[in-house]
Short mmCIF file of all heavy atoms in Angstrom, two decimals:
data_model
loop_
_atom_site.label_atom_id
_atom_site.label_comp_id
_atom_site.label_asym_id
_atom_site.label_seq_id
_atom_site.Cartn_x
_atom_site.Cartn_y
_atom_site.Cartn_z
N PHE A 267 -66.88 7.09 10.92
CA PHE A 267 -65.46 7.23 10.58
C PHE A 267 -64.66 6.65 11.73
O PHE A 267 -64.87 7.03 12.89
CB PHE A 267 -65.12 8.72 10.42
CG PHE A 267 -63.82 9.00 9.71
CD1 PHE A 267 -63.83 9.59 8.45
CD2 PHE A 267 -62.60 8.70 10.30
CE1 PHE A 267 -62.63 9.87 7.79
CE2 PHE A 267 -61.40 8.96 9.64
CZ PHE A 267 -61.42 9.55 8.38
N ASP A 268 -63.80 5.71 11.47
CA ASP A 268 -62.87 5.08 12.43
C ASP A 268 -62.64 3.62 12.08
O ASP A 268 -61.52 3.16 12.06
CB ASP A 268 -63.33 5.13 13.90
CG ASP A 268 -63.02 6.46 14.56
OD1 ASP A 268 -62.15 7.19 14.03
OD2 ASP A 268 -63.65 6.77 15.57
N GLY A 269 -63.77 2.87 11.88
CA GLY A 269 -63.63 1.44 11.60
C GLY A 269 -63.64 0.59 12.86
O GLY A 269 -62.85 -0.35 12.99
N SER A 270 -64.55 0.90 13.79
CA SER A 270 -64.61 0.14 15.05
C SER A 270 -65.34 -1.19 14.85
O SER A 270 -66.13 -1.36 13.92
CB SER A 270 -65.34 0.96 16.12
OG SER A 270 -66.71 1.04 15.81
N ASN A 271 -65.11 -2.11 15.77
CA ASN A 271 -65.82 -3.39 15.72
C ASN A 271 -67.32 -3.20 15.94
O ASN A 271 -68.14 -3.94 15.38
CB ASN A 271 -65.27 -4.34 16.79
CG ASN A 271 -63.91 -4.89 16.41
OD1 ASN A 271 -63.40 -4.65 15.32
ND2 ASN A 271 -63.30 -5.63 17.32
N ASP A 272 -67.71 -2.22 16.77
CA ASP A 272 -69.13 -1.96 17.01
C ASP A 272 -69.83 -1.57 15.71
O ASP A 272 -70.94 -2.05 15.42
CB ASP A 272 -69.31 -0.85 18.05
CG ASP A 272 -68.97 -1.32 19.45
OD1 ASP A 272 -68.97 -2.54 19.68
OD2 ASP A 272 -68.70 -0.45 20.31
N VAL A 273 -69.21 -0.69 14.95
CA VAL A 273 -69.82 -0.27 13.69
C VAL A 273 -69.75 -1.39 12.65
O VAL A 273 -70.68 -1.58 11.86
CB VAL A 273 -69.18 1.04 13.18
CG1 VAL A 273 -69.54 1.30 11.72
CG2 VAL A 273 -69.64 2.20 14.05
N ARG A 274 -68.67 -2.15 12.67
CA ARG A 274 -68.61 -3.35 11.80
C ARG A 274 -69.83 -4.22 12.02
O ARG A 274 -70.50 -4.63 11.07
CB ARG A 274 -67.34 -4.14 12.11
CG ARG A 274 -67.26 -5.50 11.40
CD ARG A 274 -66.31 -6.44 12.11
NE ARG A 274 -66.79 -6.76 13.46
CZ ARG A 274 -66.06 -7.36 14.40
NH1 ARG A 274 -64.82 -7.69 14.15
NH2 ARG A 274 -66.58 -7.60 15.61
N ASP A 275 -70.12 -4.52 13.30
CA ASP A 275 -71.26 -5.39 13.60
C ASP A 275 -72.58 -4.75 13.18
O ASP A 275 -73.49 -5.42 12.70
CB ASP A 275 -71.28 -5.72 15.10
CG ASP A 275 -70.07 -6.54 15.52
OD1 ASP A 275 -69.41 -7.13 14.64
OD2 ASP A 275 -69.76 -6.57 16.73
N SER A 276 -72.67 -3.43 13.36
CA SER A 276 -73.89 -2.71 12.94
C SER A 276 -74.06 -2.79 11.42
O SER A 276 -75.18 -2.98 10.93
CB SER A 276 -73.81 -1.25 13.39
OG SER A 276 -74.96 -0.55 13.02
N ILE A 277 -72.97 -2.64 10.69
CA ILE A 277 -73.03 -2.75 9.23
C ILE A 277 -73.51 -4.15 8.83
O ILE A 277 -74.38 -4.32 7.96
CB ILE A 277 -71.66 -2.46 8.60
CG1 ILE A 277 -71.30 -0.98 8.77
CG2 ILE A 277 -71.65 -2.84 7.11
CD1 ILE A 277 -69.86 -0.65 8.37
N LEU A 278 -72.96 -5.16 9.48
CA LEU A 278 -73.34 -6.54 9.14
C LEU A 278 -74.80 -6.84 9.50
O LEU A 278 -75.44 -7.71 8.90
CB LEU A 278 -72.40 -7.53 9.84
CG LEU A 278 -70.94 -7.49 9.36
CD1 LEU A 278 -70.05 -8.38 10.21
CD2 LEU A 278 -70.85 -7.90 7.89
N ARG A 279 -75.35 -6.08 10.48
CA ARG A 279 -76.77 -6.23 10.82
C ARG A 279 -77.67 -5.42 9.89
O ARG A 279 -78.89 -5.46 9.99
CB ARG A 279 -77.02 -5.76 12.27
CG ARG A 279 -76.48 -6.66 13.35
CD ARG A 279 -77.07 -6.29 14.72
NE ARG A 279 -76.78 -4.92 15.10
CZ ARG A 279 -75.72 -4.55 15.82
NH1 ARG A 279 -74.85 -5.46 16.24
NH2 ARG A 279 -75.53 -3.28 16.14
N GLY A 280 -77.06 -4.62 9.00
CA GLY A 280 -77.85 -3.81 8.07
C GLY A 280 -78.30 -2.49 8.64
O GLY A 280 -79.22 -1.86 8.11
N GLU A 281 -77.64 -1.99 9.72
CA GLU A 281 -78.05 -0.72 10.35
C GLU A 281 -77.17 0.41 9.80
O GLU A 281 -77.48 1.00 8.77
CB GLU A 281 -77.96 -0.87 11.87
CG GLU A 281 -78.92 -1.93 12.39
CD GLU A 281 -78.72 -2.25 13.87
OE1 GLU A 281 -77.74 -1.77 14.46
OE2 GLU A 281 -79.55 -2.99 14.42
N ILE A 282 -76.05 0.74 10.48
CA ILE A 282 -75.12 1.72 9.92
C ILE A 282 -74.63 1.19 8.57
O ILE A 282 -74.39 -0.01 8.41
CB ILE A 282 -73.95 1.96 10.90
CG1 ILE A 282 -74.49 2.69 12.15
CG2 ILE A 282 -72.85 2.78 10.25
CD1 ILE A 282 -73.46 2.85 13.26
N LYS A 283 -74.49 2.10 7.61
CA LYS A 283 -74.21 1.63 6.24
C LYS A 283 -72.72 1.59 5.88
O LYS A 283 -72.32 0.80 5.03
CB LYS A 283 -74.96 2.53 5.24
CG LYS A 283 -76.48 2.44 5.37
CD LYS A 283 -76.97 1.04 4.99
CE LYS A 283 -78.49 0.93 4.99
NZ LYS A 283 -79.05 0.71 6.35
N ALA A 284 -71.92 2.45 6.49
CA ALA A 284 -70.49 2.46 6.11
C ALA A 284 -69.68 3.23 7.14
O ALA A 284 -70.21 3.99 7.95
CB ALA A 284 -70.32 3.11 4.74
N THR A 285 -68.37 3.00 7.12
CA THR A 285 -67.44 3.78 7.93
C THR A 285 -66.12 3.86 7.16
O THR A 285 -65.98 3.29 6.07
CB THR A 285 -67.23 3.13 9.33
OG1 THR A 285 -66.38 3.98 10.12
CG2 THR A 285 -66.59 1.76 9.21
N VAL A 286 -65.17 4.59 7.72
CA VAL A 286 -63.85 4.74 7.10
C VAL A 286 -62.81 4.25 8.11
O VAL A 286 -62.74 4.76 9.23
CB VAL A 286 -63.57 6.21 6.72
CG1 VAL A 286 -62.17 6.36 6.15
CG2 VAL A 286 -64.61 6.69 5.72
N LEU A 287 -62.06 3.26 7.72
CA LEU A 287 -61.08 2.65 8.63
C LEU A 287 -59.82 3.50 8.74
O LEU A 287 -59.15 3.77 7.76
CB LEU A 287 -60.71 1.25 8.14
CG LEU A 287 -59.51 0.59 8.85
CD1 LEU A 287 -59.81 0.36 10.33
CD2 LEU A 287 -59.15 -0.72 8.15
N GLN A 288 -59.53 3.87 9.99
CA GLN A 288 -58.20 4.42 10.30
C GLN A 288 -57.35 3.29 10.84
O GLN A 288 -57.76 2.65 11.80
CB GLN A 288 -58.30 5.47 11.40
CG GLN A 288 -59.04 6.72 11.08
CD GLN A 288 -58.80 7.72 12.20
OE1 GLN A 288 -57.76 8.39 12.21
NE2 GLN A 288 -59.70 7.81 13.14
N PRO A 289 -56.18 3.07 10.32
CA PRO A 289 -55.36 1.95 10.82
C PRO A 289 -54.69 2.28 12.15
O PRO A 289 -53.47 2.36 12.26
CB PRO A 289 -54.33 1.76 9.69
CG PRO A 289 -54.21 3.11 9.06
CD PRO A 289 -55.57 3.77 9.18
N ALA A 290 -55.53 2.45 13.20
CA ALA A 290 -55.03 2.94 14.49
C ALA A 290 -53.99 2.00 15.11
O ALA A 290 -52.97 2.45 15.62
CB ALA A 290 -56.20 3.11 15.45
N TYR A 291 -54.28 0.73 15.08
CA TYR A 291 -53.39 -0.26 15.71
C TYR A 291 -52.01 -0.21 15.05
O TYR A 291 -50.98 -0.14 15.73
CB TYR A 291 -54.02 -1.64 15.55
CG TYR A 291 -53.35 -2.75 16.34
CD1 TYR A 291 -53.75 -3.06 17.64
CD2 TYR A 291 -52.32 -3.50 15.77
CE1 TYR A 291 -53.15 -4.08 18.36
CE2 TYR A 291 -51.72 -4.53 16.48
CZ TYR A 291 -52.14 -4.82 17.77
OH TYR A 291 -51.53 -5.84 18.47
N ARG A 292 -52.01 -0.19 13.72
CA ARG A 292 -50.73 -0.20 12.99
C ARG A 292 -49.97 1.11 13.17
O ARG A 292 -48.74 1.12 13.30
CB ARG A 292 -50.99 -0.48 11.51
CG ARG A 292 -49.73 -0.54 10.66
CD ARG A 292 -48.78 -1.61 11.15
NE ARG A 292 -47.46 -1.52 10.52
CZ ARG A 292 -46.33 -1.77 11.17
NH1 ARG A 292 -46.33 -2.17 12.43
NH2 ARG A 292 -45.17 -1.66 10.54
N ILE A 293 -50.70 2.23 13.18
CA ILE A 293 -50.04 3.52 13.36
C ILE A 293 -49.34 3.59 14.72
O ILE A 293 -48.22 4.08 14.83
CB ILE A 293 -51.07 4.67 13.20
CG1 ILE A 293 -51.38 4.88 11.71
CG2 ILE A 293 -50.57 5.96 13.83
CD1 ILE A 293 -52.45 5.92 11.44
N ALA A 294 -50.00 3.07 15.76
CA ALA A 294 -49.39 3.08 17.09
C ALA A 294 -48.12 2.22 17.09
O ALA A 294 -47.11 2.58 17.71
CB ALA A 294 -50.38 2.56 18.12
#
Side-chain angles (χ1 to χ4, degrees):
F267 196 112
D268 278 341
S270 71
N271 286 355
D272 287 340
V273 166
R274 172 202 64 192
D275 295 342
S276 181
I277 291 171
L278 293 174
R279 289 194 300 269
E281 297 172 351
I282 292 174
K283 296 295 185 278
T285 184
V286 177
L287 169 63
Q288 294 191 82
Y291 189 90
R292 181 59 191 143
I293 283 176

